[in-house]
Amino acid sequence: MFSLSTGLLSLALVAQLVSAKDGFVYRSRPQEHHSGSNSTILQTRKTWTLADKYEGQAFFDQWNFFEWGDPTHGRVNYQNKENAQNKGLAYVQGDGKFVMAVDDKNWVGVGSNRDSVRIGSQKAYTQGLFIADLQAMPFGCSVWPAWWSVGPNWPNGGEIDVLEGVHNQKVNQYTLHTSPGCTIDTGVQATGQIGNQQCAVGGNDNTGCFFTDTNDNSYGQPFNAAGGGVFAHTWQDDGIKIWHFARDSIPGDISSGNPNPDGWGEPVAYFSSNTCDIGSHFYEHGLTFDITLCGDWAGATYSQAGCPGSCDERVANPDNFHGKSWLTLSVI
């Protein structure tokens, strides 16, 4: 992660796998410099330095395997570390990439759960720059993958969903979930389309506030066909900004390990502090990767997405989960 708190985690999706190679966390330090030899005005420029790195075996040693019931009611049995390794659902490839997958070998009864994996960082972060380089991601009918972060006592500590969607959608959705008091400022400059403006969850409404990407290579099959890409977000007092870069348009400063968000242009999503006190609504976030199936979102939208049969029937057949995986190159 990069900081102010900054982080880079590398992910790659291949055939039902979630793989992550390198994860970095950077710290930012302001540098003051004079605008002129006789000037008393100081300009401040943030620089980002590496703080944490997650790579290969570190995902077993520095991340926790969630092994309880899915809070979103998905048709999954999340596996602990030992079971995930023994069942081939989590492992390190020869090239050092960490892989996590949904079971694609065993039939389960209709209405039963399929083995899957959800991992969360042992370290928590408050603010920073986070960069995820993904080569591929899981998608398809019943599939609900996500790269996100969440604070304590949900929704009080907030939730930031950077990459999330269901079924065969072609564009990504960027969402915040908060306690009362946060909305989207409709006057911000962002390339995404504003959806729901109310970030607070309550009662039976957990929609949150979100932007929808306008690029059809930001999710699912089109994302994978384009060779994946980078999702980067800054989380600071003035707001949360998220960018998506296709593989052929990743800024050179990201590739070189010297990220400079000030040069990336308008973000695709911008949740401004003008209408949300970022400091009081977002803190102590753990980083999370998961693949769930059906559940509150994918289950509720299964038929309208044009998927065949029922979501429970889909989950029963392992053939439906071949070739749907995360391939992560890095998260900073």
Side-chain angles (χ1 to χ4, degrees), residues 1 30 36 41 47 69 90 93 107 115 129-130 190 200 245 253 281 283:
M1 235 129 292
I41 299 175
T47 60
Q93 296 182 159
W107 282 81
D115 291 346
L129 165 60
F130 305 79
F245 302 108
D253 55 87
H281 285 92
Y283 50 87

Side-chain angles (χ1 to χ4, degrees), residues 9 20 22 26 31 66 75 92 106 116 129 138-139 141 181 212 218 232 238 242 246 279 303 314:
L9 173 66
D22 300 320
Y26 288 73
Q31 293 182 345
F66 185 91
R75 288 295 186 194
V92 178
N106 300 295
S116 186
L129 165 60
F139 69 93
C141 287
T212 300
S218 60
D238 64 351
I242 310 176
S303 296
R314 184 80 178 182

Side-chain angles (χ1 to χ4, degrees), residues 11 133-136 223 226-230 244-250 329:
L11 308 176
D133 185 346
L134 309 174
Q135 283 188 347
F223 177 83
V230 159
H244 163 241
F245 302 108
R247 178 64 53 198
D248 60 1
S249 62
I250 298 172
L329 298 179

Side-chain angles (χ1 to χ4, degrees), residues 18 64 213 251 266 301 318:
V18 178
N64 295 322
D213 208 312
E266 289 185 4
T301 58

Side-chain angles (χ1 to χ4, degrees), residues 68-105:
W68 299 275
D70 182 8
T72 64
H73 310 106
R75 288 295 186 194
V76 290
N77 291 320
Y78 285 129
Q79 302 295 295
N80 62 29
K81 180 169 68 173
E82 181 179 5
N83 287 342
Q85 289 178 296
N86 290 339
K87 295 178 180 183
L89 303 182
Y91 57 92
V92 178
Q93 296 182 159
D95 59 2
K97 293 185 178 70
F98 173 75
V99 175
M100 52 183 273
V102 175
D103 169 49
D104 63 355
K105 298 179 176 63

Side-chain angles (χ1 to χ4, degrees), residues 132-156:
D133 185 346
L134 309 174
Q135 283 188 347
M137 64 172 294
F139 69 93
C141 287
S142 81
V143 181
W144 176 6
W147 152 236
W148 52 294
S149 67
V150 62
N153 194 21
W154 190 90
N156 293 322

Side-chain angles (χ1 to χ4, degrees), residues 19-41:
S19 72
K21 182 179 181 181
D22 300 320
F24 306 93
V25 179
Y26 288 73
R27 302 288 176 196
S28 70
R29 297 174 181 167
Q31 293 182 345
E32 294 182 344
H33 53 91
H34 292 279
S35 58
S37 58
N38 297 320
S39 175
T40 59
I41 299 175

